[in-house]
Amino acid sequence: MSNTTLISASALASAVAMALTGATVLASAGSALAATEKCYGVAMAGQNDCAAGPGTTCAGTSKVDYQGNAWKSVEAGTCTTMSLEGGRKGSLEPLERDMPA
Amino acid sequence: MRPAAQSLFAAALIDPERPLPEGITAARGKAADRRFAVYRNTVTVTRIDALAAIFPAIERLVGQEAFRSLARLHLVEEPPASPVLFEYGAGFAALLERTEPLRPYPYLADVARLERAWLDAVHAEDALPLDPTALGAIPQERLNDVIFTAHPATRIVESRFAAVSIFSASRGHRPLDGIRPQEPEDGLVTRPGHTVEVRRLAPGAAPFLKALIRGETLAAAASHTLASHPGFALPAALSVLLEAGVFTACTLLPARME
């Protein structure tokens, strides 16, 4: 197998090493991305984040404030700790509360 | 409803020349032709609106009126195969490709493929992108045998035209000034966080990533790509792979038995 291979193991190793060095910069960009979480039950009506597309319940479509099944992207770690009106708590999973009538 | 009746009903829904399906009446047995026409119109408009929501860049490029005519053609030729409307439009790019008046704009089909891929990525399952340290943890002498697992959102669209630039300009409501449509561009669609990202790939990166997605080892994919694209920059392609979240995991191919 290795005798038909054009690329040498050392070339491959150095390419991976270069990519990983470059990726340390990117890892911080990546961690900025990772530093958010989907938080259910915290968005004001019409302010939720969501996937786009027809036939879905989507961004900006939540009907009531703090709708339990609508989520918003928030800073990681803040979802369940932020304080909301009426003693509500955010959740990382969809909630049953505050559903539109 | 019996299957035969169902297919007659479905056919009558998209063809106004067809008679009212048998057994459809208004209250107390009154004729329902006009009511059925209202329903037919609602179905048609909804499907056209769905296509406009899925292909906003195309709609901007060809104009609303032309878009609605194309959408109408598509929904007659290829009614939705799934009750989930956001899955609609898989064949729309092919329709654009073979529509005679669109010949001068051959890039439209690939822009539509990018738009379809973008929506696939939006609705793909959540998954964490590959952690670069997982690749770093593989011993150098075993890197040859690394295989990767594709992220559910990853899509690649190879184009002989400047599909990525045109897609981005049209979606960003920017003019196409300065874009040379004949410049080939391959597009990478990923969703590393909750947001879809579309990138233009350097020459060779698309076949390289596709080979990895097919399950080829790192050495095999790199070698095949270097053979077909001598200028292929492997380190840059690996950086993109990590940055864009193309994969979720990497593992070593089990040692082969002799």
Side-chain angles (χ1 to χ4, degrees), chain A residues 5 7 12 20 38 51-52 54 56, chain B residues 86 122-123 126 132 144 194 223:
Chain A
T5 300
I7 188 158
L12 200 57
L20 287 171
K38 280 186 185 182
T56 57
Chain B
F86 65 70
V122 167
H123 291 287
D126 286 345
N144 276 348
H194 297 153
S223 300

Side-chain angles (χ1 to χ4, degrees), chain A residues 3-101:
Chain A
N3 58 347
T4 60
T5 300
L6 279 169
I7 188 158
S8 69
S10 62
L12 200 57
S14 68
V16 169
M18 277 172 77
L20 287 171
T21 328
T24 50
V25 188
L26 304 167
S28 51
S31 59
L33 271 173
T36 59
E37 56 195 12
K38 280 186 185 182
C39 191
Y40 288 89
V42 299
M44 303 305 279
Q47 301 287 310
N48 62 306
D49 291 332
C50 181
T56 57
T57 49
C58 256
T61 57
S62 65
K63 298 284 187 287
V64 299
D65 289 350
Y66 312 115
Q67 189 171 315
N69 64 351
W71 59 268
K72 196 162 180 66
S73 209
V74 300
E75 202 177 319
T78 63
C79 176
T80 55
T81 55
M82 66 176 81
S83 46
L84 301 168
E85 193 186 303
R88 292 178 178 88
K89 290 280 179 207
S91 162
L92 298 174
E93 299 292 329
L95 300 168
E96 306 274 325
R97 64 161 167 77
D98 295 305
M99 299 301 282

Side-chain angles (χ1 to χ4, degrees), chain B residues 120-142:
Chain B
D120 286 346
V122 167
H123 291 287
E125 212 179 308
D126 286 345
L128 283 176
L130 172 67
D131 182 348
T133 56
L135 184 59
I138 290 173
Q140 285 197 3
E141 67 279 9
R142 300 296 318 274

Side-chain angles (χ1 to χ4, degrees), chain B residues 179-214:
Chain B
I179 297 175
R180 284 178 300 170
Q182 303 298 329
E183 189 126 315
E185 288 183 356
D186 296 335
L188 172 66
V189 181
T190 56
R191 206 193 65 212
H194 297 153
T195 310
V196 177
E197 297 180 6
V198 179
R199 284 178 174 68
R200 183 180 162 181
L201 289 169
F208 172 67
L209 293 176
K210 282 173 85 169
L212 291 180
I213 291 167
R214 275 198 305 274

